[in-house]
Amino acid sequence: MRHSALQGQRRCDLTPKRTTRKGGTAMKEGFRQSMAWLHTWTGLIVAWVLFFVFVTGTAGYFNYEITRWMEPERPLAGTPLDYDRVALVENGLDRLQQVAPEAEVWAINLPHWAQAQRAWQDYSIEWTTLPQEGHERGMRGSEQLDPATGGLRTDIEPRATGGGRQLYIMHYALHYIDYPLAFRLVGICTMLMLVAIITGVITHKKIFKDFFTFRPGKGQRSWLDAHNVISVMALPFFLMITYSGLMFFAQDYMPAPVASTYGTDRAAMQRFYDELYDDHGHLAVERPQASIADMMEQAMRTWGPDTELRAVLVQHDRGEPPRVEIGRAYGDAVRWRDNHGLAFHANTGEPLPAEPADSATIQSVQVMYALHEGRFAEPWLRWLYFIAGLLGCGMIGTGMVLWTVKRRKQHAAAGTHFGHRLVEALNVATIAGLPAGVAAYFWANRLLPVELAERANWEVNFLFLIWGETLIYALFRDIRKAWVELLWLAAAAYALLPLVNALTTDRHLGITLPAGDWTLAGFDLTMLALGAAFGYMAVKVKRRWLAKMTDGAPTGHSTLAGGTR
């Protein structure tokens, strides 16, 4: 008789292990077994949604780079010219006086490197009108200006696309369903993931020892080892990203405290946010009478000659003097917005006191936001975020496969194939099919007609069409063959994407590499790397799993991990 694949390790099945030990030891083992049960089932019931959230959320760390690739009409990146910032501000004020004379806020964005967007920001103006009937918060407007001529930019309009922003939105708002319902569903899944992480740490009392243990080719044991190694490798990241993700919609998840104090209607919620952020009423702004050049020069003396100015804001809060705020480019600290603005009296040019510091509550929430989004991160740190996100996909994926491997023979012996078969099909469709769907999203960007109505929506439709078709395929195909074939599909979809790009645009590697445009070139190179990774996985699966077809296991219920007959 063969031994269990987990012999020598603590069992994690559904029945608490009997023990003859007394007192606290038995209680500890019973508690650990309960945590194992909770870890198993909380992880399973939300695993497929969480895998989707991690895939799309991980792509979000490069959402601006993805968007730029999906708008090939934009020019190649070059070294920004050194423009006269004072002249740009004066020109912007001239334009704002023409297009928004009755506004509560004027903003002039200067060309600069934006850390949050990881890209050079163009010269533009923005405004918000005074509140009016039907628009209690005012209406916003903006224009892109040409820094060389001062007039409106006449660049070619890029194609309609959801870009990387659409993938980022889907990681918390899903798609095709009501927005409030979506982020509540994601919130529930996120909370259950936090429970699964904590119970997983409790269950594996030798978790750090297991981190250095990996035994390939051992079936169920190998899947458990892989799950443990990946989970521990980025455990602090998983805890941070899960907990901080709950902060974004905390008010919606726990509405009772605010509702009991302010009420539940829209006006009540507005009063809450006005008090929370110390919002003011606004008066119509006028062109500053003091010298903008003197204000900018004083800001440069304060911050240093190498400071990069970001924007000039003109605003007049009710009961306060009109103000001009000079902003510098955000830094790389976690509280990346701190100390990046100096205020001056718009008519006298005298420095004004700094805005009061945010409350500890707001500061804490802002830190959580910054940690979750990585907006302060330099490129190398964002790559670490990206790699940690991929490890999160691996942690969830290995846990999903481990669940089916552990229960395959049990369900086969009991004749209860359908539920287990459904879980296996969902696993292969999610782990291999979803990435293929994301690749289809990029293919659609290049192949759909540029003038197609609702083009951005059709890009997303192709993602879900391919994902859904992989599920149907996995349900009716031998599961062993489905794994290999869908992994090859994902590999081909990513590896061929740079070729499709070269055939449909002039923004391919032959152009972007010589031009030194590493945003566009990096996208194509990353697609090739992902294609190679999925190809490697397909080869390994074929060697280890598909070879077991001669073992005589029933079609659709074979041992994916190379287990015993």
Side-chain angles (χ1 to χ4, degrees):
M1 182 176 67
R2 299 195 179 192
H3 295 284
S4 167
L6 284 182
Q7 184 178 9
Q9 296 190 20
R10 193 69 62 195
R11 293 191 305 170
C12 295
D13 50 26
L14 304 185
T15 305
K17 184 179 178 181
R18 293 183 180 179
T19 178
T20 58
R21 288 173 289 183
K22 299 180 180 180
T25 303
M27 291 180 64
K28 289 179 181 179
E29 292 304 316
F31 175 71
R32 186 171 286 113
Q33 292 296 323
S34 298
M35 293 296 100
W37 181 93
L38 188 59
H39 176 77
T40 297
W41 290 101
T42 53
L44 177 70
I45 62 178
V46 297
W48 303 291
V49 176
L50 288 175
F51 194 89
F52 176 82
V53 168
F54 261 79
V55 167
T56 53
T58 299
Y61 289 120
F62 290 103
N63 72 80
Y64 296 100
E65 289 83 353
I66 293 173
T67 298
R68 180 139 181 272
W69 184 88
M70 297 180 77
E71 295 178 341
E73 294 79 10
R74 295 194 181 278
L76 293 172
T79 303
L81 300 177
D82 187 14
Y83 297 105
D84 183 347
R85 267 36 180 186
V86 175
L88 294 182
V89 172
E90 295 292 347
N91 178 72
L93 291 173
D94 291 339
R95 182 65 183 170
L96 284 164
Q97 282 185 305
Q98 296 176 21
V99 298
E102 294 293 326
E104 65 178 23
V105 176
W106 284 347
I108 303 166
N109 299 309
L110 300 171
H112 71 283
W113 173 261
Q115 179 70 22
Q117 286 78 19
R118 282 86 68 176
W120 288 101
Q121 294 302 289
D122 296 325
Y123 176 42
S124 65
I125 58 173
E126 300 177 22
W127 63 87
T128 302
T129 64
L130 290 168
Q132 51 189 294
E133 185 176 355
H135 298 281
E136 293 81 3
R137 301 295 294 174
M139 298 179 62
R140 296 183 178 181
S142 64
E143 288 183 350
Q144 296 285 327
L145 303 181
D146 187 334
T149 65
L152 294 176
R153 293 187 60 169
T154 57
D155 294 343
I156 297 175
E157 186 71 20
R159 64 188 63 190
T161 177
R165 177 72 178 170
Q166 182 63 66
L167 293 175
Y168 173 79
I169 290 173
M170 286 193 296
H171 102 280
Y172 66 85
L174 305 180
H175 204 67
Y176 301 124
I177 64 176
D178 185 60
Y179 181 81
L181 174 62
F183 67 71
R184 286 182 173 86
L185 287 174
V186 173
I188 292 172
C189 294
T190 304
M191 178 59 72
L192 290 177
M193 180 177 178
L194 186 60
V195 171
I197 292 174
I198 295 172
T199 53
V201 172
I202 295 173
T203 299
H204 298 285
K205 61 180 180 180
K206 297 180 180 179
I207 189 168
F208 291 104
K209 178 181 178 181
D210 293 341
F211 173 69
F212 296 99
T213 304
F214 181 67
R215 291 154 286 194
K218 300 297 183 181
Q220 179 180 338
R221 177 178 293 175
S222 299
W223 284 108
L224 181 61
D225 287 347
H227 185 66
N228 289 339
V229 169
I230 295 173
S231 300
V232 178
M233 189 179 299
L235 180 59
F237 173 83
F238 299 147
L239 287 169
M240 179 276 292
I241 210 69
T242 305
Y243 181 77
S244 60
L246 294 170
M247 296 293 100
F248 280 79
F249 299 104
Q251 175 56 41
D252 298 281
Y253 300 150
M254 297 180 291
V258 174
S260 62
T261 303
Y262 293 88
T264 57
D265 59 11
R266 185 174 180 179
M269 295 305 299
Q270 190 59 56
R271 289 196 303 273
F272 164 70
Y273 285 114
D274 286 346
E275 291 187 22
L276 180 64
Y277 293 103
D278 194 23
D279 199 9
H280 306 279
H282 300 289
L283 302 175
V285 297
E286 297 179 354
R287 187 175 187 130
Q289 297 178 13
S291 170
I292 296 291
D294 292 344
M295 299 179 197
M296 296 173 69
E297 183 181 354
Q298 185 169 343
M300 296 295 287
R301 288 199 303 268
T302 302
W303 290 324
D306 296 330
T307 299
E308 190 170 23
L309 297 184
R310 171 179 51 84
V312 174
L313 182 75
V314 183
Q315 187 172 319
H316 191 181
D317 294 338
R318 191 180 302 277
E320 298 183 10
R323 59 192 287 125
V324 173
E325 184 171 331
I326 310 295
R328 61 173 173 170
Y330 296 128
D332 56 0
V334 175
R335 283 188 49 77
W336 55 285
R337 289 181 180 271
D338 283 356
N339 303 318
H340 287 85
L342 290 177
F344 301 88
H345 195 295
N347 296 329
T348 67
E350 296 178 357
L352 295 176
E355 289 286 330
D358 292 329
S359 67
T361 300
I362 294 178
Q363 290 184 26
S364 299
V365 172
Q366 288 175 348
V367 167
M368 288 296 174
Y369 289 172
L371 287 173
H372 188 90
E373 296 180 328
R375 303 187 71 172
F376 60 92
E378 295 288 346
W380 66 269
L381 183 54
R382 283 195 297 119
W383 275 108
L384 286 180
Y385 265 85
F386 181 79
I387 293 171
L390 294 182
L391 289 174
C393 298
M395 175 186 68
I396 297 168
T398 54
M400 292 156 62
V401 174
L402 180 61
W403 189 94
T404 59
V405 169
K406 289 177 64 175
R407 290 158 179 81
R408 183 172 292 113
K409 291 197 294 183
Q410 173 188 344
H411 285 276
T416 54
H417 295 308
F418 176 76
H420 188 271
R421 181 69 172 83
L422 177 62
V423 172
E424 287 199 309
L426 286 169
N427 284 353
V428 65
T430 302
I431 296 172
L434 174 59
V438 174
Y441 177 71
F442 300 137
W443 278 63
N445 175 264
R446 289 298 190 256
L447 299 181
L448 288 174
V450 175
E451 66 278 1
L452 179 67
E454 297 187 359
R455 191 177 188 280
N457 290 333
W458 273 107
E459 291 177 348
V460 181
N461 291 341
F462 270 90
L463 187 160
F464 285 97
L465 281 171
I466 296 300
W467 188 14
E469 288 172 1
T470 60
L471 175 59
I472 296 173
Y473 185 83
L475 284 169
F476 292 96
R477 182 67 164 161
D478 183 304
I479 202 67
R480 297 163 296 190
K481 294 181 179 180
W483 272 105
V484 176
E485 291 159 356
L486 290 181
L487 284 171
W488 276 121
L489 173 66
Y494 283 105
L496 294 176
L497 191 57
L499 176 61
V500 173
N501 180 41
L503 294 175
T504 56
T505 74
D506 60 353
R507 294 293 183 262
H508 51 80
L509 288 172
I511 298 295
T512 56
L513 282 176
D517 193 328
W518 287 105
T519 296
L520 298 181
F523 183 95
D524 282 340
L525 293 174
T526 301
M527 295 302 102
L528 291 174
L530 288 174
F534 280 106
Y536 175 79
M537 291 166 62
V539 170
K540 295 294 290 185
V541 167
K542 185 174 183 179
R543 289 178 180 175
R544 300 296 308 176
W545 300 349
L546 198 57
K548 299 299 179 180
M549 290 181 66
T550 57
D551 287 354
T555 300
H557 303 281
S558 62
T559 171
L560 296 182
T564 59
R565 285 177 288 176

